[in-house]
Amino acid sequence: MTPTRWWLVRHAPVVNPDKLIYGQHDIDCDVADAAVFRAVAEFLPANALWLQSPLGRTRRTAAAIRAAGRDGDEPIDEPRLMEQHFGDWQGRVRAEILARQPEQYRRFWLAPADERAPNGESFVDVVDRVRLALDDWSERAAGRDVVAVMHGGPIRAALAIALDLSPLRALSFHTETVSVTRIDRYPDGAWGVGFVNATPGRPSTPG
């Protein structure tokens, strides 16, 4: 009953001085903290299969971890691990959306699991596509370690799946940047959770 071990890594801190709603909007991230990336590289398993959301901030984070000394297969772009799509609001200033569409904006945050931004996704939609990715790669990489560099929303979605939580409950999880969460998929389809939001190289790391 060897599980497929998923090591879910959230990307590095975004650079967002204009306070944009970014979602799947490509935005820069800060990978300057070499000590953190060395600690994460040492924490992650060797010879893993690597997946990454195809957005720039996840690609740069994966590259920084690997440059700090972690080996493994070349990362594969997996679009199903992308952040929630915020539709027409992506790339726009949060305060501007609140001013122009106050009712729709407030409704979105009052029911954040089910509501969609205009032409965007709900968090329930994110859970559905992340489930497809986890099922697919758990079969293709059965019994292996899988390092997936992704985003806070899809990590919460993965925890909803592993713990059989409602999407709304899963939104309560907090995921630090460059943190690691581990979930295990067993051959019979059962899930286990190793740990959530470990932050190697920083004082809050468990143990």
Side-chain angles (χ1 to χ4, degrees):
M1 293 286 286
T2 302
T4 305
R5 294 163 298 276
W6 285 83
W7 304 74
L8 312 178
V9 182
R10 190 182 176 200
H11 60 77
V14 298
V15 179
N16 188 20
D18 297 324
K19 294 182 170 48
L20 303 179
I21 297 174
Y22 47 93
Q24 291 185 15
H25 177 68
D26 231 343
I27 194 166
D28 201 6
C29 68
D30 180 0
V31 294
D33 194 337
V36 166
F37 289 104
R38 282 195 301 271
V40 172
E42 292 172 1
F43 188 73
L44 293 173
N47 302 313
L49 171 71
W50 280 65
L51 303 175
Q52 61 189 5
S53 154
L55 294 176
R57 58 190 181 271
T58 43
R59 287 181 170 183
R60 284 189 286 275
T61 301
I65 296 168
R66 291 166 66 83
R70 178 43 60 221
D71 61 1
D73 298 344
E74 282 295 315
I76 298 169
D77 283 350
E78 175 45 88
R80 292 173 292 188
L81 300 180
M82 292 173 76
E83 185 57 281
Q84 184 172 347
H85 196 295
F86 291 114
D88 298 345
W89 294 352
Q90 286 187 168
R92 296 174 65 184
V93 176
R94 188 176 297 271
E96 173 196 338
I97 301 299
L98 177 59
R100 293 189 178 186
Q101 299 174 283
E103 286 188 26
Q104 198 163 22
Y105 184 85
R106 292 192 182 99
R107 188 167 65 247
F108 178 81
W109 293 112
L110 283 172
D114 301 290
E115 286 287 327
R116 297 179 178 91
N119 297 308
E121 289 182 299
S122 70
F123 183 64
V124 172
D125 297 328
V126 177
V127 173
D128 289 342
R129 64 171 162 82
V130 169
R131 188 188 305 276
L132 293 174
L134 294 177
D135 288 347
D136 184 12
W137 286 102
S138 291
E139 293 295 325
R140 294 164 69 174
R144 291 193 63 184
D145 289 296
V146 180
V147 173
V149 185
M150 46 204 285
H151 308 264
I155 292 173
R156 294 183 186 96
L159 286 166
I161 294 160
L163 292 168
D164 195 22
L165 296 176
S166 71
L168 184 61
R169 289 291 301 277
L171 285 171
S172 298
F173 281 106
H174 182 67
T175 56
E176 299 282 351
T177 52
V178 207
S179 65
V180 185
T181 292
R182 232 253 338 268
I183 60 176
D184 299 335
R185 167 70 178 266
Y186 290 88
D188 63 359
W191 284 97
V193 176
F195 49 82
V196 177
N197 202 39
T199 51
R202 285 163 283 177
S204 58
T205 302

